[in-house]
Amino acid sequence: MKNSKTKRISGVLLITFVMTFVMSMLAMPASAAESADYYLTNDELYLQYMPKSYDVEKVVMSVDDQKIKFSSPQDLFVDEHDNVYVADTNNNRIIKLDANFNFVKQYPDPNDAKAALNNPTGLYVDGEGDIYVADNGNERIVHLSPEGKFVEEFRQPTEDTYDSEYPFKPTKVYVDEYGIIYAINANDYHGIITLDAKGAFLGYVGTVKTGFDLVQSIMRFIYGESADELLGQNEPPYYLNMTINGDGTIYATSAKEKTNQIKRLTPAGDNVYEEGQFGEENTKIEFNYLPELVDLAVNKDGMVFTADTVTGKIYIYDQNGNSVACFGGEGTKEATFKAISSIAINSKNQILVLDQALNTIQVFTPTDFMENVLQAVTLYNNGKYDESLVPWQKVLEMDSTYKLGQVGVAKSLLRSGKSSESLNLYIKALDKEGYSEAFSQIRTDLFRQNFAWVVLIIIVAIVAVFLAVKYLKKYADRIADRPVPKNDKFGLKFFIETVVCVLFHPMDTFYKIKYNRKSLRVWPLILMFIILVVEKIAFRSIIHFPLTDSAIFVDYFRDLVVFFLPLVSWIIVAYAISSISDGKQTFLETATTTMYSFVPMMLLYLPITALSRLMATSESGLYNGLQLILLLWCLILIYLNFKILNEYSFGKAVWNIIKVLFAILCLWVICFLFLIVISQLLIFIKDIYSEFIYLTKRGG
């Protein structure tokens, strides 16, 4: 008897193993492609193609009739007259070009020994033409006159509040209108250094904090100090570059961070950007797959332009940090880069990109499409909604799928009182917040216009639900009190009675099923399974847009796997565990009672989902709460049927449920590892086959 039971359990576990493996294989995600010109979204679309955003206007490879060539230049600065200054690092000089990129002057004055530079990596030019240089090799910030003469220098602060463990090796420098000097120190996590006009240390601004890493915390708990050897030192984030706009807001980029690589800091050092990712992850292990935004520039309208030296891409963000465009890439031809070191914007909205490996400045001019985008974004963010509608419409004429354009037109329509017209555009743009705002406005207007009818409908609905529940309760009470005859067949009538009874008298229902275990049929099990499948598929068509977790890429198969894999695993493993733990239930009994436990979901899942059509994002808590109550109801029923059918005490039932859950987890882990092994084996076989074909052709 024991051998037959063991064989049944082994067979059941084998079925679960194969089922899990097949479902996992089918549910594997596909990888996304990349494009030369695109923009990034904050939703499932993530990467979206777009028309060309910038054209190459000029490539500056040398100046002064090729007498002057750059050598590993590290920084660019464009003054208010569009003069261009270049930190020509390896040549230890600053080169000044006019707005047409003609050579003007070279700094410092060769006759001034104090002004001599050593590895200049950053520079700033004030309105008077005075130049401040991050003279990295000389460990100072040096102030030069417009003629290139030495004026003063700023060395490592001597105040106790300065951390002297980090030598003063400034890489970037900026001076605000009040004469406060801002400096970025190489790999210094403390933040941006601030000095007054006399060089006194004022403190650090915008300290970057190291985020919590669960994996590293666990490893350090287990291995102690030796964990650093296994994981490597957790290097804290630090700033790479910065700029300051007219109102004193500091824009800065940081390295070694998974999010908030760009920060918009108040003068007090608080980041006002919402938590989010800037740039993209890459495939470079040496950069921990994280972007390295080496520089950024902000135009007069507050648009942010930044450059990733790892991928060679230029990213553009609006005043609120939304992605507007991305272009470029790794390469040596025009519009690609080998190692970007700096980026700047002139008054014509041209982008100047400095490449320290190619020793070039590439100048980019916005296309007509991008000109309209920049104009529309600026007008809208300045509150000129009606005026922004025209350029937004031009943008959509060129690219009807451009998300910012869709949102821009939708917001302009909403502000103009055309809420209904904006809804479809919000859906196309996957903007749930904007859609909810428009929907709430429409809902409020309808409620005000039809107040009496709305109240009447609500009262009628409540009364109807109350009467239906009251009637079903009486019907369930009558069924529960009725004795069950022996050999009662589970026909359609009994199935309906059981469905109603499980809602109000679940324990009596499970006892009744146990009493009639020999009369159980498979068809109710199949019917309930089909009902749940249909409901899970119908859910995507019924759920209201602002409450859905997926707005466009609906994977029905994955939805079914996520729901039914735990359910089927529970049925199989619960039977297996109870069979070796003094349980009393059969496999068909386990499957039947488990499916009956989901009767509340079968009856109420779609009505609650339909109710979401009246809700906006602000009511998502109510909707999720109703769904959670429904799920908890089903889980309580599963516990009750497991306890009653196996005749367990409370403690034994809980203990065996824990064992079932642990066994399911182990089974999934084994299946996942098996999947990895099979994948590696297939790759190995493919490599061997490719090598065989290559050798065969070579031999032929």
Side-chain angles (χ1 to χ4, degrees):
M1 186 71 179
K2 284 188 176 180
N3 288 336
S4 63
K5 182 179 281 190
T6 303
K7 289 180 180 178
R8 289 202 307 272
I9 295 172
S10 300
V12 166
L13 291 176
L14 180 60
I15 292 171
T16 306
F17 178 83
V18 174
M19 178 192 67
T20 306
F21 171 72
V22 172
M23 287 182 170
S24 300
M25 286 290 289
L26 292 173
M28 290 180 70
S31 58
E34 289 196 5
S35 162
D37 283 76
Y38 58 90
Y39 64 97
L40 305 173
T41 70
N42 294 322
D43 49 48
E44 60 194 288
L45 292 174
Y46 190 65
L47 183 151
Q48 288 293 291
Y49 293 94
M50 62 177 285
K52 193 174 184 181
S53 54
Y54 281 85
D55 290 317
V56 178
E57 175 78 15
K58 179 189 286 287
V59 178
V60 181
M61 303 182 68
S62 60
V63 293
D64 196 18
D65 295 329
Q66 298 186 357
K67 294 178 182 177
I68 294 179
K69 293 185 178 182
F70 305 127
S71 179
S72 190
Q74 295 294 310
D75 203 11
L76 272 179
F77 187 88
V78 177
D79 68 15
E80 57 190 23
H81 303 294
D82 283 346
N83 293 312
V84 180
Y85 296 79
V86 182
D88 191 10
T89 305
N90 278 2
N91 288 322
N92 295 317
R93 62 188 178 185
I94 306 298
I95 302 296
K96 180 181 178 181
L97 311 176
D98 65 17
N100 297 315
F101 302 94
N102 298 310
F103 175 75
V104 176
K105 191 174 180 61
Q106 176 177 316
Y107 304 90
D109 186 330
N111 299 317
D112 190 339
K114 287 185 177 181
L117 303 176
N118 181 11
N119 195 44
T121 55
L123 64 98
Y124 170 81
V125 182
D126 67 16
E128 303 298 324
D130 285 60
I131 304 170
Y132 295 80
V133 182
D135 194 8
N136 183 267
N138 287 325
E139 299 185 354
R140 66 174 182 172
I141 294 170
V142 62
H143 176 191
L144 304 177
S145 70
E147 293 75 33
K149 298 285 187 179
F150 175 85
V151 177
E152 59 186 335
E153 64 180 9
F154 304 90
R155 293 196 172 270
Q156 179 168 308
T158 56
E159 287 81 359
D160 294 338
T161 50
Y162 179 83
D163 188 352
S164 58
E165 291 186 7
Y166 282 79
F168 190 64
K169 295 180 70 67
T171 57
K172 304 297 173 185
V173 62
Y174 203 98
V175 182
D176 69 12
E177 58 182 328
Y178 304 107
I180 304 299
I181 299 170
Y182 296 79
I184 290 179
N185 204 29
N187 302 331
D188 191 341
Y189 72 91
H190 291 88
I192 299 171
I193 295 171
T194 57
L195 309 171
D196 67 14
K198 296 182 179 180
F201 180 60
L202 300 178
Y204 298 101
V205 173
T207 301
V208 183
K209 298 179 180 178
T210 304
F212 175 74
D213 192 310
L214 179 61
V215 174
Q216 291 194 352
S217 298
I218 294 173
M219 292 291 285
R220 286 192 172 87
F221 177 78
I222 297 173
Y223 295 102
E225 294 181 359
S226 60
D228 288 335
E229 298 179 6
L230 298 171
L231 297 171
Q233 291 289 338
N234 184 21
E235 187 177 1
Y238 53 86
Y239 286 108
L240 291 172
N241 220 318
M242 65 177 169
T243 188
I244 303 177
N245 71 351
D247 63 358
T249 302
I250 304 169
Y251 293 82
T253 62
S254 56
K256 311 298 182 185
E257 287 197 278
K258 295 180 180 179
T259 59
N260 285 47
Q261 295 90 350
I262 297 179
K263 295 175 176 61
R264 184 180 175 184
L265 304 172
T266 64
D270 298 320
N271 183 22
V272 299
Y273 272 153
E274 293 183 3
E275 183 77 17
Q277 180 178 344
F278 294 87
E280 299 171 82
E281 294 183 357
N282 53 65
T283 58
K284 304 291 182 67
I285 299 176
E286 62 269 31
F287 290 93
N288 295 320
Y289 311 107
L290 298 175
E292 192 93 340
L293 305 182
V294 291
D295 196 7
L296 80 169
V298 182
N299 71 5
K300 58 183 175 57
D301 298 314
M303 300 286 290
V304 179
F305 303 77
T306 187
D308 184 357
T309 192
V310 181
T311 59
K313 293 178 181 177
I314 308 300
Y315 298 93
I316 304 167
Y317 297 93
D318 70 8
Q319 293 87 338
N320 299 313
N322 300 308
S323 175
V324 173
C326 169
F327 68 92
E330 292 183 278
T332 57
K333 60 182 182 180
E334 282 190 359
T336 62
F337 312 97
K338 197 169 182 180
I340 300 174
S341 55
S342 187
I343 184 173
I345 302 292
N346 63 20
S347 62
K348 303 173 186 175
N349 263 336
Q350 291 179 319
I351 302 176
L352 284 62
V353 184
L354 185 65
D355 193 316
Q356 63 175 316
L358 300 178
N359 298 311
T360 60
I361 301 173
Q362 291 195 54
V363 184
F364 294 87
T365 301
T367 60
D368 290 341
F369 174 82
M370 202 63 201
E371 286 279 15
N372 280 297
V373 170
L374 295 174
Q375 181 186 4
V377 169
T378 299
L379 287 171
Y380 184 85
N381 284 300
N382 289 334
K384 300 178 181 179
Y385 308 119
D386 292 337
E387 294 179 38
S388 70
L389 186 58
V390 174
W392 274 136
Q393 288 173 334
K394 290 181 181 179
V395 168
L396 291 185
E397 287 175 5
M398 300 179 196
D399 180 11
S400 61
T401 65
Y402 188 65
K403 181 174 178 178
L404 273 183
Q406 293 169 339
V407 172
V409 172
K411 286 183 176 180
S412 296
L413 292 172
L414 180 61
R415 297 294 183 272
S416 303
K418 301 175 182 178
S419 306
S420 299
E421 297 178 29
S422 67
L423 289 179
N424 287 334
L425 284 170
Y426 278 126
I427 292 176
K428 289 180 181 179
L430 303 185
D431 187 342
K432 296 176 184 178
E433 293 298 329
Y435 180 95
S436 291
E437 185 181 355
F439 176 78
S440 297
Q441 195 172 101
I442 295 171
R443 186 178 60 183
T444 301
D445 292 341
L446 286 174
F447 183 77
R448 288 173 179 170
Q449 295 168 11
N450 305 278
F451 178 77
W453 282 107
V454 171
V455 172
L456 180 61
I457 291 171
I458 293 174
I459 292 173
V460 170
I462 293 174
V463 171
V465 170
F466 175 78
L467 293 176
V469 171
K470 185 178 180 180
Y471 172 79
L472 290 175
K473 176 69 167 57
K474 287 183 178 180
Y475 182 63
D477 292 343
R478 188 168 64 252
I479 298 170
D481 294 337
R482 189 183 69 186
V484 182
K486 290 185 178 180
N487 299 321
D488 189 10
K489 301 298 182 182
F490 272 67
L492 180 60
K493 180 182 177 182
F494 197 93
F495 171 72
I496 295 173
E497 290 177 349
T498 306
V499 166
V500 175
C501 199
V502 78
L503 296 172
F504 301 97
H505 300 285
M507 297 181 69
D508 293 336
T509 304
F510 296 139
Y511 277 120
K512 188 181 293 187
I513 292 174
K514 183 177 178 62
Y515 184 82
N516 288 288
R517 67 197 312 176
K518 293 182 180 179
S519 302
L520 291 176
R521 296 292 180 264
V522 175
W523 70 264
L525 184 68
I526 297 174
L527 178 59
M528 288 187 285
F529 185 86
I530 292 173
I531 291 172
L532 286 173
V533 169
V534 171
E535 287 189 340
K536 291 301 292 182
I537 293 174
F539 164 81
R540 290 295 180 185
S541 301
I542 298 174
I543 183 72
H544 200 198
F545 166 67
L547 299 181
T548 184
D549 59 347
S550 177
I552 186 167
F553 299 125
V554 178
D555 189 337
Y556 291 106
F557 178 77
R558 185 169 298 178
D559 286 348
L560 295 176
V561 168
V562 169
F563 180 78
F564 285 103
L565 182 59
L567 175 60
V568 176
S569 299
W570 167 267
I571 292 172
I572 296 173
V573 178
Y575 167 68
I577 294 296
S578 63
S579 297
I580 58 177
S581 302
D582 302 322
K584 310 293 184 183
Q585 62 186 9
T586 64
F587 181 76
L588 183 57
E589 204 173 53
T590 304
T592 301
T593 54
T594 299
M595 294 305 294
Y596 273 118
S597 297
F598 281 88
V599 162
M601 186 167 288
M602 295 177 204
L603 296 177
L604 300 175
Y605 185 62
L606 289 186
I608 291 176
T609 303
L611 189 62
S612 73
R613 305 293 296 187
L614 303 175
M615 300 179 184
T617 305
S618 56
E619 290 86 38
S620 61
L622 172 61
Y623 172 75
N624 293 330
L626 292 173
Q627 293 281 25
L628 179 60
I629 290 172
L630 196 59
L631 179 60
L632 290 175
W633 188 355
C634 295
L635 294 178
I636 290 172
L637 293 179
I638 288 177
Y639 161 77
L640 289 175
N641 82 61
F642 186 75
K643 177 179 180 296
I644 291 170
L645 266 60
N646 291 294
E647 299 179 6
Y648 286 149
S649 64
F650 172 79
K652 191 169 185 179
V654 172
W655 173 240
N656 278 287
I657 287 174
I658 292 173
K659 289 196 291 186
V660 171
L661 296 176
F662 181 73
I664 291 173
L665 179 62
C666 292
L667 182 65
W668 288 355
V669 170
I670 291 171
C671 291
F672 180 70
L673 294 176
F674 181 73
L675 175 64
I676 293 176
V677 171
I678 292 297
S679 300
Q680 294 298 318
L681 179 61
L682 292 175
I683 293 173
F684 176 69
I685 293 173
K686 181 182 178 182
D687 290 342
I688 291 178
Y689 176 75
S690 300
E691 186 69 19
F692 174 76
I693 295 297
Y694 171 75
L695 293 175
T696 302
K697 290 182 178 180
R698 187 177 180 183

